[in-house]
Amino acid sequence: MRVTMPERDEPTGALVRPYAVTRGRTRPKLEIALEALVETTVRGRSGISRGGQGGSEHQYIAAMCDGGRVQSLAEIAARMQLPLGVARVIVADMASDGLVAVYEPTSLEDETDAVGTELLERVLSGLRRL
């Protein structure tokens, strides 16, 4: 009796080492939080669509974050199946070139007004009822 092994799923895209994508850099030009939201700018839409800047990763991120579809840095890394550090370097490069806008989360310590506190209390109350 002959036992055959099931075929392995092979990746469909080209295999490129993460350090090659970032040209060996491990530190981003800008510090970007994991939960920071990324949105393609007007410059990013026009520059990337003409093939002006960046590679396929830039084009993919620009398309993913275009048309009001903001994505967090973590979502971008997950969708691209890249390590978070690599995605952070790519997005930081794009932000410094004006291709994407990065919206950093605000700290709760910065929120001192009564409206913000009231909103947080209502959200917490709603979560407790679940």
Side-chain angles (χ1 to χ4, degrees):
M1 181 168 156
R2 185 172 181 198
V3 178
T4 59
M5 299 297 287
E7 290 185 31
R8 294 183 354 194
D9 291 331
E10 295 296 325
T12 57
L15 293 175
V16 177
R17 295 277 183 204
Y19 65 82
V21 174
T22 62
R23 296 183 185 109
R25 291 180 301 122
T26 58
R27 296 199 186 261
K29 293 178 181 178
L30 309 166
E31 283 302 318
I32 301 174
L34 179 68
E35 66 274 14
L37 298 177
V38 179
E39 180 179 31
T40 304
T41 62
V42 172
R43 181 176 180 194
R45 281 191 287 278
S46 63
I48 290 179
S49 65
R50 288 182 303 202
Q53 296 178 326
S56 60
E57 295 83 14
H58 288 80
Q59 292 172 353
Y60 188 80
I61 292 170
M64 187 186 333
C65 301
D66 194 19
R69 298 178 309 221
V70 286
Q71 303 283 317
S72 71
L73 178 63
E75 290 172 313
I76 292 169
R79 288 177 189 254
M80 294 183 71
Q81 298 179 348
L82 286 174
L84 184 59
V86 173
R88 185 175 275 138
V89 169
I90 295 169
V91 170
D93 288 351
M94 291 178 73
S96 68
D97 291 340
L99 303 175
V100 296
V102 177
Y103 304 104
E104 291 287 343
T106 57
S107 172
L108 290 178
E109 295 169 4
D110 295 341
E111 190 64 48
T112 58
D113 64 6
V115 175
T117 305
E118 180 183 331
L119 174 63
L120 289 174
E121 288 174 357
R122 288 194 338 241
V123 169
L124 183 58
S125 175
L127 289 172
R128 285 183 180 143
R129 283 184 278 191
L130 292 176

